[in-house]
Amino acid sequence: MKHILLVEDEAHLANGIRYNLEAEGYQVSIVGDGPSAIRFIEQNAGRVDLVVLDIMLPGMSGYAVCEALRAADQIMPVLILSARTLAEDRTRGFDVGADQYLTKPFDLEEFLSRVKSLLALYDRRVHRKPLTATAISSYSFANVHIDFERHEVTVGGKPVRMTQLELKLLRYFVENEGRIISRRELLENVWDLPGNLLTRAPDQIIRRLRKAIEPDPARPRHLLTLRDAGYRFVAEGG
C-alpha cells in the first residue's frame, strides 16, 4: 500500500482529501505544519511514497519544506496543492523541487489522477541504483577538485558540501565532458526516472551546482544550458 503524507493546516480540507485518498486504497498520514512534515519524513525514512504539500503553513512554508527535502536527497514525488495561482508561485514551486503544482480549488478526479501518475512514475525511487562504475576516481578543473571516492569537493581549496544527488549529477557531466546532454538523458541516467516526466528537478540541481562551482553563477562557464537541446559541461570554461 502506497503511503502518502498530506501536509495541510486546514483540518476540514485535510480530512476530505484523506477520505478520498483512502477510498482509492492509499495509506494517508496528516501533519499541519512544515517542521512536523520534516520530522515525520525523517522518522519514517523510506516509507513515504508521495508528499502532498500546501504552501502557506505554520512554522515553515511549503517552499522551505520542499527545498529541505531535496537538499537531503529525499526523492519521493512532491505535489504542491496551493491557493496561490500566480505564475511566479508555480515557478518557485518547481524551482525548489516540486514535481507538480495544482491550485485550489481543484477537481478531485484530476487530483487523484496526478497522484496515481506520480506514484507510478516514481515507483518508490528510494531504491535508486548506485553510481555507475567508472575509472574516474577524482577530477579537477579550474579551481575545483572532486574526489568521487571520498565524496569530497573543494573550490578554491575550500570544502563545499554536496548532496549525493548533486555529486552524482556532477559526475555524469564529468564523464560526458563536452557532449550535449538532454533533459531526458539526465532523468533516465541520473534520476532513474522516465525521460518524459514533466519536472524541473534537473534545473534546480544544476542551479545549485552552478552556485557551488561557477565564479559567476549568472554567467556560467562550465555548466552551460543550450536552449531546446540540453546541457553541456565544459572543463576549460568559455
Side-chain angles (χ1 to χ4, degrees):
M1 180 183 294
K2 299 295 187 182
H3 185 190
I4 298 174
L5 175 63
L6 174 59
V7 190
E8 171 61 64
D9 63 326
E10 295 184 38
H12 68 286
L13 178 58
N15 289 329
I17 293 174
R18 176 167 59 184
Y19 174 83
N20 284 284
L21 287 173
E22 289 179 342
E24 296 293 314
Y26 302 118
Q27 176 187 353
V28 182
S29 299
I30 298 176
V31 296
D33 60 81
S36 295
I38 298 295
R39 285 194 299 272
F40 185 92
I41 291 171
E42 289 176 345
Q43 293 167 2
N44 294 271
R47 295 194 294 271
V48 176
D49 299 290
L50 170 71
V51 178
V52 178
L53 180 63
D54 189 20
I55 291 299
M56 294 177 285
L57 294 168
M60 188 180 188
S61 75
Y63 295 127
V65 171
C66 189
E67 193 168 31
L69 294 180
R70 296 315 189 209
D73 279 346
Q74 296 285 354
I75 61 168
M76 78 285 286
V78 175
L79 169 59
I80 287 181
L81 205 58
S82 174
R84 294 178 178 266
T85 59
L86 297 179
E88 50 263 40
D89 296 317
R90 289 177 175 271
T91 298
R92 186 178 177 191
F94 289 124
D95 283 347
V96 296
D99 296 277
Q100 292 196 16
Y101 191 111
L102 189 61
T103 56
K104 302 174 183 177
F106 56 89
D107 178 78
L108 178 61
E109 292 303 316
E110 181 183 2
F111 169 70
L112 294 175
S113 176
R114 292 197 186 202
V115 166
K116 183 179 179 180
S117 175
L118 283 172
L119 287 170
L121 287 170
Y122 270 75
D123 192 27
R124 297 187 69 88
R125 300 317 299 184
V126 292
H127 302 299
R128 287 185 301 174
K129 293 178 287 187
L131 289 172
T132 303
T134 175
I136 300 177
S137 60
S138 63
Y139 189 83
S140 296
F141 65 95
N143 66 341
V144 181
H145 178 73
I146 313 156
D147 188 324
F148 290 111
E149 292 185 349
R150 297 187 178 187
H151 294 195
E152 295 176 352
V153 181
T154 60
V155 179
K158 298 179 180 179
V160 174
R161 181 188 177 278
M162 284 193 181
T163 66
Q164 293 291 332
L165 183 57
E166 289 167 346
L167 197 61
K168 183 177 182 181
L169 178 59
L170 184 56
R171 185 174 198 162
Y172 195 81
F173 277 124
V174 167
E175 292 173 348
N176 293 274
E177 200 267 334
R179 188 168 69 82
I180 297 174
I181 303 173
S182 68
R183 176 192 296 266
R184 183 185 189 94
E185 182 178 342
L186 289 179
L187 286 173
E188 292 176 350
N189 294 301
V190 178
W191 274 262
D192 305 321
L193 293 173
N196 59 354
L197 181 67
L198 297 177
T199 175
R200 296 284 295 277
D203 305 279
Q204 179 213 9
I205 302 298
I206 289 172
R207 187 158 35 247
R208 295 213 305 253
L209 284 180
R210 284 174 175 156
K211 288 181 179 179
I213 69 173
E214 295 281 2
D216 183 357
R219 297 180 179 85
R221 299 178 58 195
H222 303 288
L223 290 178
L224 310 179
T225 299
L226 287 77
R227 189 172 182 179
D228 299 326
Y231 308 94
R232 182 167 60 191
F233 170 68
V234 182
E236 294 184 0

